[in-house]
């Protein structure tokens, strides 16, 4: 087994419960980690034998573009797509962070992180 990580995907999106958040948006950071059997790709040197991180990034961008009130819902959608669309992925962890959240204080970010394994909810 091996782990493919993408750290600090920066995206501007429109998530949040406040009406203003849907209008003006915020900066977000997304981190993705996927556990998969990488032994074949280590031998063959073929992209088709591994988890394509370009495709992972595409999933993140597409799901972040869909407005949600809660980051939990966004994370769940990203996890589901990774496990549904990438057969090699056995387990995935996704963290979505809202940078400088509007919570009335000097807070760098708020993060929701969830993990899902193949065959488990």
């Amino acid at each position: 087994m091996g782990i493919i990580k993408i750290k600090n995907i920066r995206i501007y999106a429109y998530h949040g419960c406040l009406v203003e958040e849907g209008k003006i948006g915020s900066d977000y950071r997304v981190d993705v980690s996927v556990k998969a059997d990488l032994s074949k790709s280590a031998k063959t040197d073929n992209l088709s034998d591994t988890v394509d991180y370009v495709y992972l990034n595409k999933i993140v961008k597409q799901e972040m573009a869909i407005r949600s009130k809660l980051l939990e819902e966004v994370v769940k959608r990203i996890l589901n797509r990774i496990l549904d669309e990438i057969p090699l992925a056995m387990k995935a962890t996704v963290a979505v962070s809202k940078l400088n959240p509007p919570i009335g204080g000097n807070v760098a970010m708020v993060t929701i992180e969830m993990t899902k394994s193949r065959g488990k909810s």
Side-chain angles (χ1 to χ4, degrees), residues 32-46:
V32 177
S33 176
V34 176
K35 186 174 183 180
D37 183 352
L38 303 178
S39 60
K40 185 175 181 182
S41 60
K43 292 176 188 170
T44 66
D45 198 28
N46 287 324

Side-chain angles (χ1 to χ4, degrees), residues 3 6 8 11 17 21 34 54-55 59 88 99:
I3 298 174
I6 304 177
N8 204 16
I11 296 176
C17 293
E21 291 174 301
V34 176
V54 173
Y55 190 69
I59 289 172
L88 276 176
L99 306 179

Side-chain angles (χ1 to χ4, degrees), residues 60-102:
V60 168
K61 287 182 177 181
Q62 288 174 346
E63 294 303 323
M64 287 295 291
I66 301 168
R67 178 164 160 66
S68 294
K69 292 178 188 171
L70 299 178
L71 295 180
E72 290 90 326
E73 208 262 335
V74 180
V75 172
K76 179 192 74 157
R77 288 197 323 262
I78 295 169
L79 284 171
N80 287 342
R81 282 203 50 201
I82 289 170
L83 293 175
D84 288 347
E85 298 176 22
I86 303 173
L88 276 176
M90 299 310 298
K91 181 178 181 181
T93 299
V94 174
V96 175
S97 302
K98 181 180 278 193
L99 306 179
N100 303 309

